Structure formats: C-alpha cells, structure tokens
Amino acid sequence: MAKPVEVDERWLGRIAEQVNGLEYGEVNIVVHDGRIVQIERKERRRYDDVARGVKKERESANSQS
C-alpha cells in the first residue's frame, strides 16, 4: 500500500511559488517514499502576434503567385 504524501506549509509555499506567474506550462511534483523531493517547472511562451504576422506574410505571398 502506498504511503500518504507528507505535505507541510514549506512545500505548499514552494509549490505556490512555482505556479504563480505561470501563464502556459506545467508544474510536476516528484514524490519518493511518500515525501515530496522535487518540483519541476516547465514554462512555455507563446508569441501569437509573431505567428499571425508570419501567417499573413505566407498568405500574401501565396496570393501573389
């Protein structure tokens, strides 16, 4: 049977720090023997304005052909 995970105020604060300000991405919590041992944060940045500009340029080039 799995051990219950031990979560104290210190870990809750650390998790909150990693989640705060994250617009796109994920936070993974690694548990060993019922204890949190690591927090991994993967952040993605989306540049929608740049992507739209490239798409418009391609559409414009295709329509001129």
Side-chain angles (χ1 to χ4, degrees):
M1 177 124 187
K3 295 180 182 181
V5 177
E6 299 173 16
V7 182
D8 59 17
E9 291 299 318
R10 183 174 62 168
W11 279 109
L12 289 174
R14 289 174 177 168
I15 294 166
E17 284 177 13
Q18 296 303 312
V19 173
N20 285 334
L22 187 63
E23 191 171 353
Y24 299 100
E26 59 190 61
V27 174
N28 294 309
I29 301 167
V30 180
V31 177
H32 286 256
D33 291 326
R35 292 181 51 231
I36 297 174
V37 295
Q38 182 174 324
I39 301 171
E40 301 170 350
R41 175 180 165 143
K42 186 186 300 184
E43 187 169 357
R44 291 175 173 76
R45 302 208 181 243
R46 298 191 179 185
Y47 302 99
D48 291 336
D49 292 339
V50 174
R52 284 187 205 125
V54 170
K55 184 177 178 182
K56 285 180 184 178
E57 288 176 15
R58 287 182 186 160
E59 289 172 352
S60 177
N62 289 338
S63 67
Q64 293 176 358
S65 317

